Amino acid sequence: MAFLEYLQLIAFFGSAIFTVLLISLVIIQKSVTTPLPVIKRHKQEKTFLDPNILKNIEFPSIEDEPSVDLSVIVPAYNEEERMPSMLDECLEYLENKSKSANFTYEVIVVSDGSSDGTVALALKYSKKYTAEKVRVLELIENRGKGGAVRLGMLSARGRNLLFADADGATTFSDLDKLTEALAAINKDWTEDAVVIGSRAHLEQEAIATRSAFRTFLMHGFHFLVWLFAVRSLRDTQCGFKLLTRSAARKLFRIMHVERWAFDVELLYLVERLNIPVREVAVKWQEIEGSKLTPFWSWIQMGVDLFLIWFRYTIGAWQIVDTTKAHSE
């Protein structure tokens, strides 16, 4: 057999094998996923404790009319040590703003199946500031950061909704920048708009302090994000994002990813739905105690990025009317 014929034979069988594998992957993905997410919420997770009257009260729904100006969602998994400084800064800012302007707020701490004193700590803040301003959503089992943020969003009363990391890595007063950018897009909570905090301006400084391996992982992750999901934004992972109620209702009812890559799916949907979005530079510092393990977390997120693109591309996941998203 001539060498050229041998290569053609290899190419033929290689193409056949690839086609079979691709068809199999499509069939598997369509059989193991649902077009819309199944949002699980236990009965106990539908209420919050008011520590001042020792009574459980039912959370409202994002489908309701808003009753405060801002909801701050704080996902927390075993954050007993890092969360106090974040909540102190957050609540001092919000209290000062509420005293100097006609402004109302709530903070929802979502304990994502924590096994330490996260819930007890958050309830101390609820007792001090009242459950009107600080509420604790205690999840029975760990969902992942995306799952925790989603349930917090679906329980919020705000016209605008912010989610902020419990470690306090972002300076909370930078919310002013995000609020101004949001108002420049849409002044009404009934219209869609998203503004995200960004650390892209700090990238060179971060590279100077990181190992070559971590820098390689960072650039690899950014490339995969650009390749599979989000192309108009530089920093998808900063945990400081502000949405109008309309946008939050639309997005968090249809999102599937519940772990670290949920930010990417969120912004993928923002681009697909043509929701107006802006990126705003914020101050940020790395806080010790991260739950991410650099290598394996990036591998998992890389897989998640491919699956986000693949599942939406083949229709295993669908972008449809959010009122049809279902729960159990």
Side-chain angles (χ1 to χ4, degrees), residues 267-286:
L267 297 175
Y268 174 86
L269 290 171
V270 165
E271 289 190 343
R272 288 286 302 273
L273 291 168
N274 294 315
I275 293 175
V277 59
R278 298 290 185 275
E279 194 168 8
V280 175
V282 295
K283 297 177 183 177
W284 184 88
Q285 59 180 334
E286 191 161 350

Side-chain angles (χ1 to χ4, degrees), residues 45 74-78 108-116 118-119 122 136-142 148:
E45 298 170 345
V74 183
Y77 174 64
N78 290 345
I108 302 176
V109 177
V110 187
S111 173
D112 189 20
S114 299
S115 57
D116 66 352
T118 295
V119 171
V136 183
L137 170 51
E138 183 178 3
L139 303 186
I140 295 174
E141 58 191 23
N142 180 267

Side-chain angles (χ1 to χ4, degrees), residues 149-169:
V149 171
R150 187 222 303 274
L151 290 182
M153 289 280 176
L154 298 183
S155 306
R157 296 175 288 157
R159 293 174 181 85
N160 295 326
L161 298 91
L162 172 82
F163 68 85
D165 287 345
D167 61 5

Side-chain angles (χ1 to χ4, degrees), residues 104-242:
T104 54
Y105 73 88
E106 67 174 347
V107 175
I108 302 176
V109 177
V110 187
S111 173
D112 189 20
S114 299
S115 57
D116 66 352
T118 295
V119 171
L121 172 68
L123 285 173
K124 289 180 180 179
Y125 283 88
S126 182
K127 185 176 180 65
K128 177 180 178 180
Y129 290 92
T130 77
E132 180 63 23
K133 293 182 176 179
V134 180
R135 297 178 174 182
V136 183
L137 170 51
E138 183 178 3
L139 303 186
I140 295 174
E141 58 191 23
N142 180 267
R143 302 285 212 293
K145 183 180 177 182
V149 171
R150 187 222 303 274
L151 290 182
M153 289 280 176
L154 298 183
S155 306
R157 296 175 288 157
R159 293 174 181 85
N160 295 326
L161 298 91
L162 172 82
F163 68 85
D165 287 345
D167 61 5
T170 306
T171 303
F172 201 85
S173 59
D174 277 343
L175 174 60
D176 288 339
K177 298 179 183 178
L178 273 65
T179 302
E180 291 173 6
L182 195 73
I185 302 173
N186 279 317
K187 297 183 181 298
D188 197 323
W189 63 268
T190 60
E191 301 295 329
D192 294 338
V194 176
V195 177
I196 66 170
S198 173
R199 304 159 299 178
H201 62 295
L202 302 172
E203 187 169 299
Q204 292 305 315
E205 180 182 335
I207 289 173
T209 59
R210 283 185 176 138
S211 67
F213 180 62
R214 290 195 67 180
T215 299
F216 170 77
L217 289 177
M218 179 189 70
H219 285 304
F221 176 73
H222 287 172
F223 172 74
L224 291 176
V225 169
W226 179 87
L227 179 65
F228 289 123
V230 180
R231 298 194 173 184
S232 65
L233 303 165
R234 295 178 63 193
D235 183 5
T236 60
Q237 299 308 110
C238 182
F240 206 65
K241 294 180 173 68
L242 182 66

Side-chain angles (χ1 to χ4, degrees), residues 285-305:
Q285 59 180 334
E286 191 161 350
I287 306 295
E288 293 184 1
S290 172
K291 308 300 187 300
L292 278 173
T293 52
F295 180 73
W296 294 113
S297 295
W298 295 142
I299 292 294
Q300 180 61 56
M301 291 179 76
V303 172
D304 287 342
L305 292 177

Side-chain angles (χ1 to χ4, degrees), residues 16-164:
I17 292 172
F18 175 79
T19 302
V20 170
L21 290 174
L22 182 61
I23 293 173
S24 299
L25 184 58
V26 170
I27 293 172
I28 291 171
Q29 290 299 316
K30 287 206 169 189
S31 64
V32 301
T33 62
T34 57
L36 294 173
V38 177
I39 305 172
K40 296 180 180 179
R41 190 162 187 175
H42 298 286
K43 183 178 180 181
Q44 300 95 310
E45 298 170 345
K46 297 179 180 180
T47 62
F48 63 92
L49 174 67
D50 184 332
N52 288 311
I53 61 175
L54 298 179
K55 181 180 179 181
N56 287 314
I57 301 171
E58 187 172 353
F59 276 106
S61 167
I62 199 169
E63 303 299 332
D64 301 335
E65 291 291 305
S67 57
V68 297
D69 293 312
L70 177 70
S71 294
V72 179
I73 313 302
V74 183
Y77 174 64
N78 290 345
E79 292 288 2
E80 180 183 9
E81 298 296 326
R82 300 196 299 174
M83 192 166 61
S85 60
M86 181 272 172
L87 287 180
D88 288 340
E89 182 189 9
C90 165
L91 288 163
E92 180 182 6
Y93 167 88
L94 295 173
E95 280 292 289
N96 288 336
K97 188 174 178 64
S98 67
K99 291 174 183 177
S100 61
N102 184 23
F103 173 79
T104 54
Y105 73 88
E106 67 174 347
V107 175
I108 302 176
V109 177
V110 187
S111 173
D112 189 20
S114 299
S115 57
D116 66 352
T118 295
V119 171
L121 172 68
L123 285 173
K124 289 180 180 179
Y125 283 88
S126 182
K127 185 176 180 65
K128 177 180 178 180
Y129 290 92
T130 77
E132 180 63 23
K133 293 182 176 179
V134 180
R135 297 178 174 182
V136 183
L137 170 51
E138 183 178 3
L139 303 186
I140 295 174
E141 58 191 23
N142 180 267
R143 302 285 212 293
K145 183 180 177 182
V149 171
R150 187 222 303 274
L151 290 182
M153 289 280 176
L154 298 183
S155 306
R157 296 175 288 157
R159 293 174 181 85
N160 295 326
L161 298 91
L162 172 82
F163 68 85

